[in-house]
Each structure stands twice: as C-alpha cells, then as structure tokens.
Amino acid sequence: MVFLAALVGGWIAERLRQSPVLGYILGGILVGPYVLGLVHDLELLQDFSEIGIILLMFTVGIDFSLSRLEKVKKIALLGGALQISGVVLLCTGACYLAGINLYQSFFLGCVAAMSSTMIVLRILGEQGESNSLHGQIMLGILIVQDLAVILMVSLLPELHQASLASIPQLIFPLLKSFLFILFIIYLAQKVSPLVFRQAAKGSNNDVFLILALTMGLGIASLSHALGLSVALGAFLAGLVISESEYTHEILGKINSMRDAFVILFFVAVGMLVDPLALLDNIHLLLILLAVIIPGKLFLLFLIVKFLSYHSRIAFLVGMGMAQTGEFSFVMAKLGLDEQLISSDIYNLILASSIISILLTPLFIRMAPLCYLKLSRTRVWQKLFPEADLEESEFDSSELQGHVILVGYGRVGKNIGQGLQQIGLNYIAIDYDYHSIRSLNEAGIPYIYGDASNEVVLAQARPDLARLAIVALPDLFSNRQATYNLLKLNPNLIILARAHNEWEKEILYQQGAAEVIQPEMEAGLQLMRYLILHLNLPLEEVDKYLETLYIKDHEAIIHKKDIIAKREKNLKVREFSVGPGSPFAGKKLIESQIREKTGCNVVTIKKAGGELLLNPSSKETLDRDDLVVVMGDSRQILKFAQLNGGELQHG
C-alpha cells in the first residue's frame, strides 16, 4: 500500500511537472491515518524511514564537492550566511509574536531558511539557465544551506533545553563536533583513497557496495555514540567516500537502494500530517508562508543587490529561492521524533513547504516578466534607483555596419571571439559584472544594462547595425530583446538561440531570421563524427540526411520566400551630390541619412574616381560625388527630395 501510494503520488507530480518528493508526501497524506486510514501501524515504516534519512544524507555527502563552491565562494559564503541569518531572525521574531514559544519559533526559522536544491537546479536545467549568473549564485547559496543543515541537525537538539546560563555548556558539543569533522576529513583525504584502491584490485564488484555501506553506517553509528546527530555522521561518511576516485561507481550501486528507502521516508512524513489540524492554525500557516515567500524573496534581493549585482540578477535569485526544501522535511521529522516540536508545528512545516515548492516552477518562469513590469513602475525606480547604462570608452556616434551581441555569457563569449577573428566590429550588451570586466579588459565596446530593455538596446544603434545576435539565457529576455530590436529597426536581421522546439517557434514568430537550438546542433555534430568514424553504407547515410533535412524543408522554403519578398521590395539607386544638397561636405554620421530617409548608403563613388564600398560613418560626402543608397520606394523618394541632386540610374 505504501509503495502504491508513492507510485500514484509520483505519477501525479510528474504530470504536473513537480518534484516526485511532493508526490510521495501527498500519497502518504492520502493513505495515512488522518485521511483514508489505509495504513495504521507506522512504527515499522518509521524504522525503515530512518534508514532513508541516513542513506539520503550519505549520498548528499558523496555528491558534495567543495570545488563547486569555489567558483562562487564570495557571493555564496557571505550571501548564504546573511540569507540564513536574516530568515532565521525574521521567522523567529514573527512566529514568537504570533504566540509560538521561542525555541519552536527558532526551529521554524531554521526550516524556513532552507531552499530546495533539487527543485531549483532541476528547473534551471530545464530552462538552460544552470550556468547563468543568477543560476550560479543560487547554486552557491544552496551549497552553503546544505552545509548549514548539517550544523542545525547537530545543534537543534542541544538547544532544546538550553538557557542563557547553559550557553557556555554548548561549547563542548561544538568542540566535539569540530574535532570529529576534522578526523573525518583526515580519513577522507588520507585513508579512504587507499582503502578503495585496494578494494578495486579484487574481482568481486560487490566489495564496493559492502565497503561503502559499512563505512556509512559505521561513521553514522560512531557519530551517534559520541552524542552527535546520526544525520551528521551519515553526511560525513559520504564526504569520506567523495574523495575516492571510485565515487561514481559507489553511487551507481547505492542509488537504487537509497531511492527505495528515501521514498519510504517521504511517504512516512506525509502519513503524520493531519490536514484538519491546519484549519485551527491557518493564521500561523499564513505567517510562515509570508516569511518563506515574500520575506525570503525580498531579503535575498537586498543581499544580492548589496553585493553589487544588477537588480535583475537579484530579483531572479529571490524569485528562484522563495521556498523551503527537502531538508526541511528531514528537520521536521527529526524535530517530531525527538519531541523538539509539537505535531501542530510539524503540520505547519510540511504544509508551508508543500505550498511554496508547488509555486516555485511558476515563480522561476515568471520572474523575467515580473521584473520587467516592476522595473517600469515609479515606486520601484524610487526605491531601487539604478543606472541602466554604463558605456565603455567608445563613441556611440561612430557605430555603423556593426553587429550587436546581446548577452556575453558562455555562448555570447564564443560568438564574440569568432567575430573578432573574422574582423567584424561588434558591441556587446550584458548586466553580468564578470562579463563586463572581461569586455573592458579586452577593449571591446560594451553597454552595461538589461538587454531586454528598449532604452539599453537603443544605445547600441540597431538602426545602423548590420545584424544582431540574441544569446540571453531565458526565453522571455530573448523574446523581448528581439521585439525591441525590430521595433527600433524593422529590417534588422536577428539570429537567436532557443532551448527547445517550442522556444524556437516563438522566436521565429517574434521575427528572428534564424533560431539555433544548441542541443540539436550538438546532436548533429556527434552524428557527423559518427558517420566519419564508422564505415557506414552510403545508402544509409543518404537516407539519414534526407530524413534529417526534409522535416525543415517547408519552413526553410517559407523563410526564403519571406526574405526574397523583403529583398524584392528594396531598391538600389545612385544619386549625384549637387551643390545644393544638404549632405554635401558632411560626414555620413553628421548627415543622418538613415534617420531622415530610412535609406542605407552602400557605396560612395568619389569625384576623383575612388570607390568606397560599405563606407564607414566617418566618410565625407563631397560635391559631385555619386552616392549609392538602398531602400524601398518610399525611402528612395524621400532621399531624392532631400538630396536635390540628379538620379543617375533608375
């Protein structure tokens, strides 16, 4: 019955694009004694779920890597510490004022400070934003939170009976924990690699599994014997194994068993929830949700903003982490089992966690749109004044015939290097300080600001650009940037990136000339190498290529028709610059031909015979020069009227 509940709950969660954890908990609530009452004897299930906690913390330790924290250690350590401290204080104060005793208020604060590593990283991965700046900041803070959980599960039981007079007595447990952690780190670096290397020499593959479980349960038992948390011991045991080169082989063997016990744990968590009891404490639930969602969001926004990041980055981080996480359930179960919290507080923790996690996918996907709307309001602009623009040392009036590179992240940086190699002038737009710093050091023209903002894009002179490349990490920003670029220059060719077919179609509809899907290109490149390295029959290769390209045939033809139609409407005409022409004696940038007529100057034939193809904005139009312009009929007519010279070729 337990696994049936987990199966049904997991299936529903998958259909709703939610974490399976929520499905398991909801399944437990459904079959538990407070709803359908299909399961009454919880003692055996509780014993198995304890093993689930140990295995969960064990594999978290195995998968933990300080090298991941190294990449974003500044924002992670300071930002994570400020966020955890701020949420704990905010929640403790709010709950204490609402009538909950001080210790349980503090316990709720510790729970509320956590966010869901599993949920956040999964959604960021689906949207292709794991390596974005806000994604990396979230990852760093989540790692610090995971470390804080280990400290919390060790200290919360000790603090239960603590008073001001007993605070000095807590120094000994802290010192004991510190020495134990140092001992485990020594084992991880010096002993563990040798032990697993010897085990690898044998022919019995089960040795890894037996050795890993023995080490995990042994260190967890040792931790318990020393009066420390079993969860702390399990995490440290995993940390020992993480330093071995056989980590992935061990994880592969233990994951399936871990998943089974972890499912039992989350189902058991759900069975202890009494939905009716929440009705008596609905005001407390609303207070806790207010701390977790708007309170945590605003606090994270202020912290990231304080650490000198753009307000858009700060807002995306806040929206993405406004929930509790998997370890909130672990801490809630620990608190209930050791009678640190009441059943009412336990119900509050689970209800607030489930609600906040359910809202997380919506928050992350809607964050760019919400930021755009908020940033345009007067209240936001007064509370968080921020210059949208920070130009590098370049003369924006000299921009002409350039490429606009919207976004200078992983993809944009590679594109920029390619543009430099082939000698194309470009200007980059980004709001990532790291990207701006590298652009500044390389002497590349840049604009600092939100590239989906029309005001920012206008500074890059899309009206004079040859082409724009939109390489931002999320769909909304790409779509908004494409829309605003075409608004500023309807004839601009735009190349964009997408993460899936749905995004690709939306960007095409928005007006992008070409949309690239990196994952698809990677797959095609791998297939090209496969064909090169394998001696495949030519007939099979031809059949594959035909299947590959035929599906896009109609779209390609349709796109060519659009381009041909647009080009057909454009005309090229040659005029002489007469003595009365307002353009005579002026540089192209001063003449404002593009702004006044809509025409582009493609060639200048100097009176002395010199031919200037695709002239720069610094070139001067002299009397008796011949100028070749391109535009539609209306634009050509307007140029002719302003120029006043003779049309040389019709």
Side-chain angles (χ1 to χ4, degrees), residues 553-586:
H553 178 73
E554 291 184 7
I556 292 170
I557 294 299
H558 178 65
K559 200 188 315 174
K560 283 183 176 179
D561 287 343
I562 294 173
I563 294 172
K565 185 177 180 181
R566 186 173 71 180
E567 290 178 347
K568 186 177 180 181
N569 291 331
L570 295 177
K571 298 177 174 58
V572 177
R573 297 290 183 267
E574 185 177 292
F575 293 88
S576 63
V577 180
S581 173
F583 308 131
K586 291 183 179 179

Short mmCIF file of all heavy atoms in Angstrom, two decimals, residues 553-586:
data_model
loop_
_atom_site.label_atom_id
_atom_site.label_comp_id
_atom_site.label_asym_id
_atom_site.label_seq_id
_atom_site.Cartn_x
_atom_site.Cartn_y
_atom_site.Cartn_z
N HIS A 553 12.20 21.36 -44.44
CA HIS A 553 12.18 21.85 -45.82
C HIS A 553 11.13 22.95 -46.01
O HIS A 553 11.43 24.02 -46.55
CB HIS A 553 11.90 20.69 -46.78
CG HIS A 553 11.82 21.10 -48.22
ND1 HIS A 553 12.94 21.46 -48.94
CD2 HIS A 553 10.76 21.23 -49.05
CE1 HIS A 553 12.57 21.78 -50.18
NE2 HIS A 553 11.25 21.64 -50.26
N GLU A 554 9.91 22.70 -45.53
CA GLU A 554 8.84 23.67 -45.73
C GLU A 554 9.14 24.98 -45.01
O GLU A 554 8.90 26.07 -45.53
CB GLU A 554 7.51 23.09 -45.22
CG GLU A 554 6.99 21.95 -46.09
CD GLU A 554 5.64 21.46 -45.62
OE1 GLU A 554 5.07 22.10 -44.71
OE2 GLU A 554 5.15 20.46 -46.14
N ALA A 555 9.67 24.85 -43.78
CA ALA A 555 10.00 26.07 -43.02
C ALA A 555 11.08 26.88 -43.71
O ALA A 555 11.02 28.11 -43.76
CB ALA A 555 10.45 25.68 -41.61
N ILE A 556 12.07 26.18 -44.26
CA ILE A 556 13.17 26.87 -44.95
C ILE A 556 12.66 27.58 -46.20
O ILE A 556 12.99 28.74 -46.45
CB ILE A 556 14.28 25.86 -45.31
CG1 ILE A 556 14.96 25.35 -44.03
CG2 ILE A 556 15.31 26.50 -46.23
CD1 ILE A 556 15.89 24.20 -44.25
N ILE A 557 11.83 26.87 -46.97
CA ILE A 557 11.27 27.48 -48.19
C ILE A 557 10.42 28.69 -47.83
O ILE A 557 10.49 29.75 -48.47
CB ILE A 557 10.43 26.44 -48.96
CG1 ILE A 557 11.35 25.32 -49.49
CG2 ILE A 557 9.69 27.10 -50.11
CD1 ILE A 557 12.43 25.78 -50.45
N HIS A 558 9.60 28.53 -46.77
CA HIS A 558 8.74 29.63 -46.35
C HIS A 558 9.58 30.85 -45.93
O HIS A 558 9.28 31.99 -46.29
CB HIS A 558 7.88 29.17 -45.17
CG HIS A 558 6.99 30.24 -44.62
ND1 HIS A 558 5.97 30.82 -45.33
CD2 HIS A 558 6.99 30.86 -43.40
CE1 HIS A 558 5.37 31.72 -44.60
NE2 HIS A 558 5.97 31.77 -43.42
N LYS A 559 10.66 30.58 -45.21
CA LYS A 559 11.53 31.65 -44.75
C LYS A 559 12.21 32.35 -45.93
O LYS A 559 12.37 33.56 -45.98
CB LYS A 559 12.57 31.08 -43.79
CG LYS A 559 13.20 32.13 -42.89
CD LYS A 559 14.35 31.58 -42.09
CE LYS A 559 14.04 30.25 -41.48
NZ LYS A 559 15.20 29.65 -40.82
N LYS A 560 12.65 31.53 -46.91
CA LYS A 560 13.28 32.11 -48.10
C LYS A 560 12.31 33.00 -48.86
O LYS A 560 12.69 34.03 -49.39
CB LYS A 560 13.79 30.99 -49.00
CG LYS A 560 15.08 30.34 -48.51
CD LYS A 560 15.57 29.30 -49.48
CE LYS A 560 16.90 28.71 -49.03
NZ LYS A 560 17.38 27.67 -49.95
N ASP A 561 11.04 32.58 -48.90
CA ASP A 561 10.03 33.40 -49.58
C ASP A 561 9.89 34.76 -48.89
O ASP A 561 9.77 35.80 -49.55
CB ASP A 561 8.68 32.67 -49.57
CG ASP A 561 8.67 31.49 -50.55
OD1 ASP A 561 9.56 31.45 -51.42
OD2 ASP A 561 7.79 30.63 -50.41
N ILE A 562 9.92 34.74 -47.56
CA ILE A 562 9.79 35.99 -46.81
C ILE A 562 10.98 36.90 -47.08
O ILE A 562 10.84 38.10 -47.33
CB ILE A 562 9.67 35.69 -45.30
CG1 ILE A 562 8.36 34.96 -45.02
CG2 ILE A 562 9.76 36.97 -44.48
CD1 ILE A 562 8.22 34.48 -43.58
N ILE A 563 12.19 36.31 -47.02
CA ILE A 563 13.41 37.09 -47.27
C ILE A 563 13.42 37.64 -48.69
O ILE A 563 13.76 38.79 -48.93
CB ILE A 563 14.66 36.22 -47.02
CG1 ILE A 563 14.74 35.87 -45.53
CG2 ILE A 563 15.92 36.94 -47.44
CD1 ILE A 563 15.81 34.85 -45.21
N ALA A 564 13.03 36.78 -49.65
CA ALA A 564 13.01 37.21 -51.05
C ALA A 564 12.02 38.35 -51.25
O ALA A 564 12.29 39.31 -51.98
CB ALA A 564 12.65 36.03 -51.95
N LYS A 565 10.87 38.23 -50.60
CA LYS A 565 9.86 39.28 -50.71
C LYS A 565 10.38 40.60 -50.15
O LYS A 565 10.18 41.66 -50.72
CB LYS A 565 8.59 38.84 -49.97
CG LYS A 565 7.43 39.81 -50.12
CD LYS A 565 6.20 39.28 -49.41
CE LYS A 565 5.04 40.26 -49.56
NZ LYS A 565 3.83 39.77 -48.86
N ARG A 566 11.07 40.50 -49.00
CA ARG A 566 11.61 41.71 -48.39
C ARG A 566 12.67 42.33 -49.28
O ARG A 566 12.73 43.54 -49.47
CB ARG A 566 12.18 41.36 -47.00
CG ARG A 566 12.62 42.58 -46.23
CD ARG A 566 13.03 42.21 -44.81
NE ARG A 566 14.27 41.47 -44.80
CZ ARG A 566 14.86 41.01 -43.70
NH1 ARG A 566 14.29 41.20 -42.54
NH2 ARG A 566 15.99 40.35 -43.77
N GLU A 567 13.56 41.46 -49.82
CA GLU A 567 14.63 41.97 -50.68
C GLU A 567 14.08 42.53 -51.99
O GLU A 567 14.65 43.45 -52.57
CB GLU A 567 15.64 40.85 -50.95
CG GLU A 567 16.45 40.49 -49.69
CD GLU A 567 17.41 39.36 -49.96
OE1 GLU A 567 17.28 38.71 -51.02
OE2 GLU A 567 18.28 39.12 -49.10
N LYS A 568 12.98 41.93 -52.45
CA LYS A 568 12.37 42.39 -53.70
C LYS A 568 11.85 43.82 -53.55
O LYS A 568 11.87 44.61 -54.50
CB LYS A 568 11.22 41.45 -54.09
CG LYS A 568 10.62 41.75 -55.45
CD LYS A 568 9.54 40.74 -55.78
CE LYS A 568 8.91 41.03 -57.13
NZ LYS A 568 7.85 40.06 -57.46
N ASN A 569 11.39 44.15 -52.37
CA ASN A 569 10.86 45.49 -52.13
C ASN A 569 11.95 46.54 -51.99
O ASN A 569 11.68 47.73 -52.04
CB ASN A 569 9.99 45.48 -50.86
CG ASN A 569 8.72 44.69 -51.06
OD1 ASN A 569 8.21 44.61 -52.17
ND2 ASN A 569 8.20 44.09 -49.99
N LEU A 570 13.19 46.10 -51.75
CA LEU A 570 14.30 47.02 -51.61
C LEU A 570 14.88 47.37 -52.98
O LEU A 570 14.99 46.51 -53.85
CB LEU A 570 15.39 46.42 -50.71
CG LEU A 570 15.01 46.19 -49.25
CD1 LEU A 570 16.15 45.54 -48.51
CD2 LEU A 570 14.61 47.50 -48.57
N LYS A 571 15.26 48.62 -53.14
CA LYS A 571 15.80 49.07 -54.41
C LYS A 571 17.14 49.77 -54.17
O LYS A 571 17.37 50.32 -53.09
CB LYS A 571 14.84 50.04 -55.10
CG LYS A 571 13.49 49.41 -55.46
CD LYS A 571 12.56 50.43 -56.06
CE LYS A 571 11.26 49.78 -56.55
NZ LYS A 571 10.55 49.05 -55.47
N VAL A 572 18.01 49.72 -55.15
CA VAL A 572 19.30 50.39 -55.09
C VAL A 572 19.32 51.48 -56.16
O VAL A 572 19.05 51.20 -57.34
CB VAL A 572 20.46 49.40 -55.31
CG1 VAL A 572 21.79 50.14 -55.33
CG2 VAL A 572 20.46 48.32 -54.23
N ARG A 573 19.60 52.70 -55.74
CA ARG A 573 19.61 53.82 -56.69
C ARG A 573 20.88 54.66 -56.46
O ARG A 573 21.42 54.73 -55.36
CB ARG A 573 18.38 54.72 -56.49
CG ARG A 573 17.06 54.02 -56.77
CD ARG A 573 16.88 53.73 -58.26
NE ARG A 573 15.60 53.13 -58.54
CZ ARG A 573 15.36 51.83 -58.61
NH1 ARG A 573 16.37 50.98 -58.36
NH2 ARG A 573 14.18 51.36 -58.90
N GLU A 574 21.33 55.32 -57.55
CA GLU A 574 22.55 56.13 -57.49
C GLU A 574 22.21 57.59 -57.75
O GLU A 574 21.51 57.91 -58.72
CB GLU A 574 23.55 55.62 -58.54
CG GLU A 574 24.90 56.31 -58.50
CD GLU A 574 25.86 55.70 -59.51
OE1 GLU A 574 26.27 54.54 -59.32
OE2 GLU A 574 26.16 56.39 -60.51
N PHE A 575 22.69 58.46 -56.87
CA PHE A 575 22.42 59.90 -56.98
C PHE A 575 23.74 60.67 -56.99
O PHE A 575 24.73 60.23 -56.41
CB PHE A 575 21.57 60.39 -55.79
CG PHE A 575 20.17 59.85 -55.77
CD1 PHE A 575 19.89 58.64 -55.15
CD2 PHE A 575 19.14 60.56 -56.37
CE1 PHE A 575 18.60 58.16 -55.11
CE2 PHE A 575 17.84 60.08 -56.35
CZ PHE A 575 17.56 58.86 -55.71
N SER A 576 23.70 61.84 -57.62
CA SER A 576 24.84 62.75 -57.54
C SER A 576 24.59 63.75 -56.41
O SER A 576 23.46 64.14 -56.16
CB SER A 576 25.02 63.51 -58.87
OG SER A 576 23.89 64.33 -59.11
N VAL A 577 25.65 64.12 -55.73
CA VAL A 577 25.54 65.08 -54.64
C VAL A 577 25.77 66.47 -55.23
O VAL A 577 26.89 66.86 -55.56
CB VAL A 577 26.58 64.80 -53.54
CG1 VAL A 577 26.45 65.80 -52.40
CG2 VAL A 577 26.42 63.37 -53.02
N GLY A 578 24.68 67.19 -55.43
CA GLY A 578 24.77 68.50 -56.06
C GLY A 578 25.22 69.58 -55.10
O GLY A 578 25.32 69.36 -53.89
N PRO A 579 25.48 70.79 -55.63
CA PRO A 579 25.95 71.90 -54.78
C PRO A 579 24.92 72.31 -53.74
O PRO A 579 25.28 72.84 -52.68
CB PRO A 579 26.22 73.03 -55.79
CG PRO A 579 25.42 72.67 -57.00
CD PRO A 579 25.37 71.18 -57.06
N GLY A 580 23.64 72.09 -54.03
CA GLY A 580 22.61 72.50 -53.07
C GLY A 580 22.19 71.39 -52.12
O GLY A 580 21.27 71.57 -51.32
N SER A 581 22.83 70.24 -52.22
CA SER A 581 22.45 69.11 -51.36
C SER A 581 22.81 69.39 -49.90
O SER A 581 23.92 69.85 -49.61
CB SER A 581 23.15 67.83 -51.82
OG SER A 581 22.92 66.78 -50.89
N PRO A 582 21.90 69.10 -48.96
CA PRO A 582 22.21 69.30 -47.53
C PRO A 582 23.25 68.30 -47.02
O PRO A 582 23.76 68.47 -45.91
CB PRO A 582 20.86 69.08 -46.84
CG PRO A 582 20.10 68.19 -47.78
CD PRO A 582 20.52 68.59 -49.15
N PHE A 583 23.56 67.27 -47.84
CA PHE A 583 24.52 66.26 -47.41
C PHE A 583 25.95 66.61 -47.83
O PHE A 583 26.91 66.00 -47.36
CB PHE A 583 24.16 64.90 -47.99
CG PHE A 583 22.73 64.49 -47.72
CD1 PHE A 583 21.92 64.03 -48.75
CD2 PHE A 583 22.20 64.60 -46.44
CE1 PHE A 583 20.60 63.66 -48.51
CE2 PHE A 583 20.88 64.23 -46.19
CZ PHE A 583 20.07 63.77 -47.23
N ALA A 584 26.11 67.58 -48.74
CA ALA A 584 27.44 67.92 -49.27
C ALA A 584 28.33 68.50 -48.18
O ALA A 584 27.91 69.38 -47.41
CB ALA A 584 27.30 68.92 -50.42
N GLY A 585 29.57 67.98 -48.11
CA GLY A 585 30.54 68.47 -47.15
C GLY A 585 30.37 67.92 -45.74
O GLY A 585 31.07 68.35 -44.82
N LYS A 586 29.47 66.94 -45.59
CA LYS A 586 29.24 66.38 -44.25
C LYS A 586 29.67 64.92 -44.19
O LYS A 586 29.61 64.19 -45.18
CB LYS A 586 27.75 66.46 -43.89
CG LYS A 586 27.25 67.87 -43.64
CD LYS A 586 25.80 67.83 -43.21
CE LYS A 586 25.27 69.24 -42.93
NZ LYS A 586 23.84 69.20 -42.51
#
